[in-house]
Amino acid sequence: MVNKIEHIGIAVKNMDDANVLFEKMLGVPSYKMEAVESEGVLTSFFQTGNNKIELLVATNPESPIAKFLEKKGEGIHHIAFDVDDIEAEIVRLKNEGFVLINEVPKKGADNKLVVFLHPKNTNGVLVELCQEIK
Ligand SMILES: C[C@@H](C(=O)O)C(=O)SCCNC(=O)CCNC(=O)[C@H](O)C(C)(C)COP(=O)(O)OP(=O)(O)OC[C@H]1O[C@@H](n2cnc3c(N)ncnc32)[C@H](O)[C@@H]1OP(=O)(O)O
Ligand SMILES: [Co+2]
């Protein structure tokens, strides 16, 4: 079962500029910046009530964020849902016919295990599932 929206990922070109803008918009500063080298991203997190905004910049040209910025430009990149049991969700979603980009959970940002569903099979929305690492 899916709990809440954990975060919304937003692809940006310049992290310094975006951090200043989102701090102004939300009235709180970024609480954490974290690079995830396996994804080719630098992330910045803002707490927005029970959810978060994750700003993402590419850290190499092969990064999914670099490709996204090239094709679509800045904007919402993915929606992440919090789950209690990511392995159970992987089995459930595979049985429902969803295409997972990675079937083995990988280490994401902010102490999470993550998997992604392919946007081709989810009405064009890249979906991330994340489970807190305890
Ligand atoms: C750190 C972490 C965390 O929160 O913990 C993160 O979020 S890391 C966030 C960064 N990591 C990820 O995104 C990992 C999962 N993403 C991926 O593996 C990739 O980006 C794919 C989604 C498989 C797309 O890669 P691919 O090489 O196929 O790129 P592509 O540019 O050829 O795109 C293929 C088709 O998917 C579409 N497409 C690409 N990215 C999309 C997105 N974010 N939302 C919706 N559609 C998207 C393209 O427009 C294209 O559609 P057309 O064919 O119609 O032109
Ligand atoms: Co994310």
Side-chain angles (χ1 to χ4, degrees):
M1 197 190 71
V2 160
N3 301 323
K4 60 177 185 175
I5 291 175
E6 211 281 336
H7 64 264
I8 293 179
I10 300 177
V12 302
K13 288 182 185 158
N14 183 301
M15 184 59 90
D16 291 340
D17 291 351
N19 265 337
V20 169
L21 185 105
F22 274 79
E23 176 169 351
K24 246 188 240 168
M25 187 200 301
L26 300 171
V28 286
S30 163
Y31 70 86
K32 178 182 208 173
M33 287 184 60
E34 184 180 344
V36 182
E37 269 319 313
S38 54
E39 295 298 307
V41 298
L42 172 65
T43 64
S44 175
F45 284 92
F46 292 80
Q47 194 73 48
T48 50
N50 285 330
N51 320 101
K52 300 164 187 168
I53 296 292
E54 176 187 49
L55 302 181
L56 301 136
V57 285
T59 53
N60 70 60
E62 301 310 313
S63 164
I65 299 302
K67 288 189 184 169
F68 184 84
L69 288 171
E70 233 169 69
K71 280 199 173 169
K72 301 199 182 193
E74 293 184 301
I76 295 180
H77 178 260
H78 63 270
I79 298 181
F81 294 104
D82 174 66
V83 299
D84 293 327
D85 185 346
I86 200 163
E87 297 287 355
E89 286 307 309
I90 290 169
V91 172
R92 184 180 73 81
L93 291 166
K94 274 176 71 177
N95 286 338
E96 293 285 2
F98 287 92
V99 175
L100 282 92
I101 295 172
N102 59 302
E103 292 189 10
V104 178
K106 46 189 179 180
K107 179 95 168 56
D110 219 15
N111 199 38
K112 298 280 191 297
L113 286 174
V114 305
V115 295
F116 288 90
L117 304 184
H118 203 288
K120 283 284 177 203
N121 306 91
T122 53
N123 297 88
V125 179
L126 177 61
V127 172
E128 174 186 336
L129 301 181
C130 52
Q131 178 195 318
E132 194 175 1
I133 301 169
K134 297 213 168 122

